[in-house]
């Protein structure tokens, strides 16, 4: 189960609307949580090198992606 923290925060309405469109989310909480996950994903991928970090042939990699 995901742990959630309730907080009060001032949000830039234009930035929220832009993020909502980009992420395909609906509500404030959904958009903020999706943006936080996306920021974390980008941080994790920053040092990713496909030549170094993926094992397997292109077909094996593609098959693994299709299982997700």
């Amino acid at each position: 189960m995901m742990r959630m923290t309730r907080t009060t925060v001032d949000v830039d309405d234009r930035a929220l609307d832009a993020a909502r469109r980009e992420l395909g989310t609906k509500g404030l909480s959904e958009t903020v949580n999706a943006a936080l996950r996306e920021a974390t994903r980008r941080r994790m991928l920053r040092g990713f090198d496909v030549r170094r970090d993926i094992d397997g042939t292109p077909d094996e990699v593609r098959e693994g992606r299709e299982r997700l």
Side-chain angles (χ1 to χ4, degrees), residues 1-6 29-30 32-37:
M1 185 169 139
M2 187 183 326
R3 186 172 159 256
M4 302 291 273
T5 301
R6 182 174 285 285
S29 292
E30 183 183 1
V32 170
N33 287 320
L36 292 171
R37 285 190 297 274

Side-chain angles (χ1 to χ4, degrees), residues 19-31:
R20 188 178 289 150
R21 284 190 302 274
E22 180 67 25
L23 296 167
T25 54
K26 294 182 181 171
L28 176 95
S29 292
E30 183 183 1
T31 303

Side-chain angles (χ1 to χ4, degrees), residues 2-58:
M2 187 183 326
R3 186 172 159 256
M4 302 291 273
T5 301
R6 182 174 285 285
T7 189
T8 301
V9 62
D10 294 326
V11 177
D12 178 325
D13 289 334
R14 288 183 181 165
L16 177 64
D17 288 340
R20 188 178 289 150
R21 284 190 302 274
E22 180 67 25
L23 296 167
T25 54
K26 294 182 181 171
L28 176 95
S29 292
E30 183 183 1
T31 303
V32 170
N33 287 320
L36 292 171
R37 285 190 297 274
E38 177 63 15
T40 301
R41 185 188 74 80
R42 288 182 184 196
R43 173 70 176 109
M44 290 173 36
L45 290 175
R46 193 171 297 143
F48 184 79
D49 181 335
V50 70
R51 294 167 293 184
R52 180 193 67 212
D53 297 331
I54 292 184
D55 294 328
T57 67

